[in-house]
Amino acid sequence: MTHEEILTLGPDTAGLRKAAEILRRGGLVSFPTETVYGLGADARDDRAVAGIYEAKGRPSFNPLIVHVPDLAAAQVYCDFNDVAHRLAAAFWPGALTLVLPLRPDAGISKLVTAGLDTLAIRVPDHPVAKALLDVFGGPVAAPSANPSGRVSPTTAAHVLAGLGNRIDAVIDGGECPVGLESTIVSCAGTPALLRAGGIPVEAIAACLGAPLAQPDDPALPVAPGQLASHYAPKGKVRLNAPYAEAGEVLLGFGPVDADLNLSPSGDLTEAAARLFACLHQLDAMGAEAIAVSPVPDIGLGRAINDRLRRAAAPR
Ligand code: TXA
Ligand code: MG
């Protein structure tokens, strides 16, 4: 699908109405969430969902997250157990995606789940995403709005730079406050972490009163989209670098002399919010070799390090 003119919509009533109208006729609309910008389509419409895979160049075995306005809407599509109810009560709306058994009568396109019998679902906590879900009135399938394998977008400008001629519209809601994708927890069997993200895994373990099974446990299913190379800026990335070597640009963390700094004060929340914007900026600067300061592997630092490891992985 190629579109001559992509609409940039305001996050106001007129913009939201237009966005909902585009979704209703099977189009693609990028919208802000608290985590990253999503690329939305009607999750019940095969042709619209196929358009998401096509626009992103995403492998069709990699299923999508469905966005709904509240728990009641989520229960129309998935079967909730005790663990899922506890997590939804504690963290929704918010940056937590639950993988749950798909209800047979859900009416969700099979392309969304890539044929799995589970569905990834979340209730976003962003005024524009919430308003769009309300005005549209249906389930919205939305991966991050970046070309497959590249850095996720945290501004409308990032979306336009990556997918500008492949989608119908973007709602400009400013910068995404969390800046990292949602944490994904499977509740379909033993509760398991499938992707570190915007809700620290420690907070989830505290809510459940037990640690979560980890994604590197070989006995557990993995999120099919967890490809080794992902979030890749154009330059080569070297991690845990105390300083830059000749020819490298330093992406710092904490009080270091760096070209760009995730958080000069060493604040992980700030670093999470800035990570993807910094990677986009390194691309814009034409950085060919990128050194990155060590980031502590606790709280949001786990999700930051997960993204950085994939950014540094061989391509
Ligand atoms: O914060 C977010 O989660 C953002 C915003 C837009 O909501 N969305 C996002 O979507 O990050 P995406 O497509 O970039 O990542 C979705 C991840 C993929 O790794 C996919 O494999 C996994 O969710 N996933 C989806 N359905 C699944 C399922 N049924 N079982 C296991 N993993 C699933
Ligand atoms: Mg993504």
Side-chain angles (χ1 to χ4, degrees):
M1 187 179 345
T2 303
H3 302 270
E4 291 297 299
E5 236 178 289
I6 175 178
L7 288 173
T8 300
L9 302 171
D12 47 19
T13 309
L16 291 164
R17 276 209 190 121
K18 181 74 196 167
E21 188 188 308
I22 294 170
L23 291 176
R24 263 179 224 121
R25 62 167 169 75
L28 303 181
V29 177
S30 176
F31 61 98
T33 79
E34 76 278 34
T35 59
V36 298
Y37 274 72
L39 179 59
D42 184 338
R44 301 159 298 193
D45 179 338
D46 288 331
R47 197 180 54 80
V49 175
I52 291 181
Y53 287 95
E54 193 184 333
K56 281 183 61 91
R58 179 176 176 115
S60 59
F61 56 78
N62 187 5
L64 308 175
I65 297 173
V66 167
H67 297 66
V68 291
D70 53 33
L71 173 63
Q75 287 177 295
V76 172
Y77 307 110
C78 299
D79 286 324
F80 277 66
N81 53 26
D82 277 358
V83 168
H85 274 296
R86 252 153 67 203
L87 293 177
F91 299 108
W92 280 359
L96 176 68
T97 294
L98 298 177
V99 171
L100 296 168
L102 175 68
R103 292 179 65 107
D105 55 350
I108 298 289
S109 164
K110 283 205 167 35
L111 291 172
V112 168
T113 54
L116 298 173
D117 54 8
T118 53
L119 180 67
I121 195 157
R122 88 175 185 98
V123 176
D125 186 15
H126 188 287
V128 177
K130 284 178 168 170
L132 178 65
L133 291 169
D134 283 342
V135 178
F136 174 59
V140 173
S144 50
N146 50 290
S148 188
R150 314 294 320 205
V151 180
S152 298
T154 56
T155 65
H158 295 159
V159 176
L160 290 170
L163 295 176
N165 58 350
R166 295 165 163 254
I167 66 178
D168 295 291
V170 56
I171 309 176
D172 188 349
E175 287 175 24
C176 300
V178 175
L180 291 175
E181 296 87 347
S182 60
T183 303
I184 306 180
V185 174
S186 169
C187 299
T190 308
L193 177 71
L194 300 188
R195 177 176 75 184
I199 304 278
V201 68
E202 292 91 334
I204 294 167
C207 169
L208 296 179
L212 280 172
Q214 293 295 307
D216 51 5
D217 181 336
L220 291 165
V222 291
Q226 298 301 81
L227 309 173
S229 170
H230 200 159
Y231 310 104
K234 294 184 180 122
K236 195 167 175 291
V237 179
R238 184 168 69 89
L239 301 181
N240 296 316
Y243 50 83
E245 308 206 330
E248 284 181 333
V249 174
L250 183 63
L251 175 59
F253 176 82
V256 288
D257 184 14
D259 303 87
L260 279 179
N261 203 315
L262 292 168
S263 171
S265 67
D267 179 76
L268 288 169
T269 303
E270 181 187 29
R274 286 176 44 74
L275 175 65
F276 291 148
C278 284
L279 295 179
H280 280 285
Q281 203 175 329
L282 288 162
D283 276 352
M285 288 161 61
E288 284 175 8
I290 302 159
V292 188
S293 296
V295 176
D297 209 34
I298 47 160
L300 288 177
R302 292 175 191 254
I304 294 171
N305 283 323
D306 169 79
R307 304 304 185 269
L308 286 171
R309 275 193 299 273
R310 291 177 210 281
R315 302 174 196 165

